[in-house]
Amino acid sequence: MSTQSIYLEHANITVLNLEAAIHFFQTAFPHFKIRGRGKEVHEWVHLGDDNTYLALNQALDLTPKTEKNYYRAGINHLGFVVEDVETIAENLSAAGYQHGFPKQVEKFRIREYFMDQEGNEYEFVQYLSEEVTERNSYA
């Protein structure tokens, strides 16, 4: 049986304010560029690099979510593996974005959680070990 390398190519997210979402992600990932942009029924962009991107769609229904709740069905957060979590956290904090969860410093990883302008949470994790078995703690 062969082992395949699997990675998430993109996430497709509908947002209340397309330009604000672009700002959030370019603050976290300054190297992300708009790969494509269009408008059919709604405006959309593909924002990312050569390997991964976010498909961001302008919402037509502008009713915001009322609460974050890990006990209801739906996506709770997206996690990004990054090389320098401190710089990303500094950039997001300086731009006025708030933590969604306190910083988590563990033996083999550091995690930061930030909320975008719409209340969506994103995790940024820096692994401090190349050993896959050390990266996550399930105890």
Side-chain angles (χ1 to χ4, degrees):
M1 178 191 226
S2 68
T3 304
Q4 294 181 346
S5 175
I6 298 173
Y7 68 94
L8 183 66
E9 178 199 40
H10 72 275
N12 189 307
I13 307 167
T14 299
V15 298
L16 295 173
N17 183 316
L18 188 58
E19 296 306 318
I22 292 168
H23 182 266
F24 175 84
F25 287 112
Q26 285 185 322
T27 300
F29 308 121
H31 73 286
F32 271 20
K33 305 293 181 221
I34 294 177
R35 293 172 32 157
R37 186 176 210 135
K39 183 170 179 151
E40 284 84 38
V41 174
H42 64 278
E43 188 176 0
W44 60 270
V45 299
H46 284 183
L47 180 71
D49 58 27
D50 291 340
N51 299 311
T52 190
Y53 67 94
L54 299 165
L56 302 173
N57 304 283
Q58 175 62 55
L60 298 178
D61 177 355
L62 299 180
T63 307
K65 292 184 295 185
T66 57
E67 64 184 57
K68 176 183 158 195
N69 187 330
Y70 271 63
Y71 303 104
R72 289 194 178 154
I75 295 173
N76 296 311
H77 69 253
L78 297 178
F80 296 93
V81 175
V82 300
E83 291 181 7
D84 184 359
V85 72
E86 297 296 330
T87 298
I88 290 171
E90 288 169 8
N91 290 345
L92 290 169
S93 291
Y97 295 104
Q98 301 298 309
H99 278 91
F101 192 75
K103 179 179 184 177
Q104 303 291 298
V105 178
E106 301 168 11
K107 186 173 183 180
F108 297 112
R109 68 182 175 183
I110 303 170
R111 297 180 290 160
E112 291 272 16
Y113 296 81
F114 278 88
M115 307 297 282
D116 69 9
Q117 65 288 340
E118 296 175 17
N120 299 306
E121 183 177 68
Y122 299 94
E123 176 184 348
F124 304 93
V125 59
Q126 178 180 347
Y127 290 114
L128 307 174
S129 172
E130 294 296 321
E131 287 293 320
V132 174
T133 57
E134 293 178 337
R135 290 181 165 199
N136 293 288
S137 172
Y138 297 107

